[in-house]
Amino acid sequence: MKVFIKFDFTQFCSRILDEKLNELNIKYRMLNFGEIEFLESVPADKLKAFDAILKEYGIEKIENQKVILVQKIKDTLIDMVLNANEGQNVKSSVYLSDKLGHSYGYLSNLFSEVTYTSIENFIILQRIEYAKSLITNTDLSLTEIAFKLQYSSVAHLSTQFKNTTGITPTTFQRIIAKRRTLKSN
């Protein structure tokens, strides 16, 4: 029997952080996703233990301010892609500026400087990853997926999908269907 699982990474990470900080008896408060404020001075040994625990879960503490802001940009963009309101197309530049309180020009330049790619390219990659997930884990048609991801048409989705992955979404669907058939035999 095969079961598909949907993860809420925000809740998952928040729960891990909460449990581990309480185990270490560190007083804190969550400010935003991925942002914690320690409410008292934390001894170096506890911070080292906290870093080690985070690494076990693939989580790392970021201290460089530019890298922190770029991670916030990525998190905001991923949230935008995953929680897009169908039929309600919001410009990424407006969305980012509103959420992060900086001009889009500043955010775009910083993102390119740190990641060596553009915000637009990152959004395309996230949308295609989400499309692959929807193709793999749901019974949605390509038309429904294109609409959900705010593409103007299935052709637009197909073009970006092929440019990113090297294959069309239809070919990807066939590969997934073939794998499912082979696994069930």
Side-chain angles (χ1 to χ4, degrees), residues 79-96:
D79 183 59
M80 181 188 79
V81 168
L82 296 179
N83 299 308
N85 293 328
E86 295 173 6
Q88 200 175 30
N89 201 351
V90 177
K91 286 188 170 190
S92 58
S93 58
V94 173
Y95 188 83
L96 273 176

Side-chain angles (χ1 to χ4, degrees), residues 78-156:
I78 290 168
D79 183 59
M80 181 188 79
V81 168
L82 296 179
N83 299 308
N85 293 328
E86 295 173 6
Q88 200 175 30
N89 201 351
V90 177
K91 286 188 170 190
S92 58
S93 58
V94 173
Y95 188 83
L96 273 176
S97 294
D98 288 349
K99 290 284 186 179
L100 300 177
H102 293 283
S103 75
Y104 181 73
Y106 172 73
L107 295 172
S108 179
N109 288 335
L110 176 67
F111 192 86
S112 297
E113 175 188 323
V114 173
T115 65
Y116 303 105
T117 190
S118 68
I119 285 175
E120 291 77 16
N121 192 50
F122 183 80
I123 292 169
I124 291 167
L125 293 174
Q126 295 310 309
R127 289 169 89 188
I128 297 306
E129 284 304 311
Y130 191 31
K132 287 168 36 180
S133 174
L134 291 171
I135 291 168
T136 305
N137 300 319
T138 70
D139 293 326
L140 294 175
S141 69
L142 289 179
T143 303
E144 291 168 320
I145 291 170
F147 182 71
K148 183 171 187 62
L149 294 175
Q150 300 180 343
Y151 280 99
S152 57
S153 65
V154 174
H156 186 204

Side-chain angles (χ1 to χ4, degrees), residues 39-57:
L39 300 175
E40 60 188 18
S41 180
V42 181
D45 61 326
K46 280 191 179 184
L47 281 177
K48 191 173 181 179
F50 180 57
D51 288 347
I53 290 168
L54 292 179
K55 283 186 182 166
E56 289 176 23
Y57 292 95

Side-chain angles (χ1 to χ4, degrees), residues 5 17 75 77 96 141 144 148 164 172 175:
I5 298 171
L17 291 170
D75 292 342
L77 292 172
L96 273 176
S141 69
E144 291 168 320
K148 183 171 187 62
T164 303
F172 184 76
I175 292 168

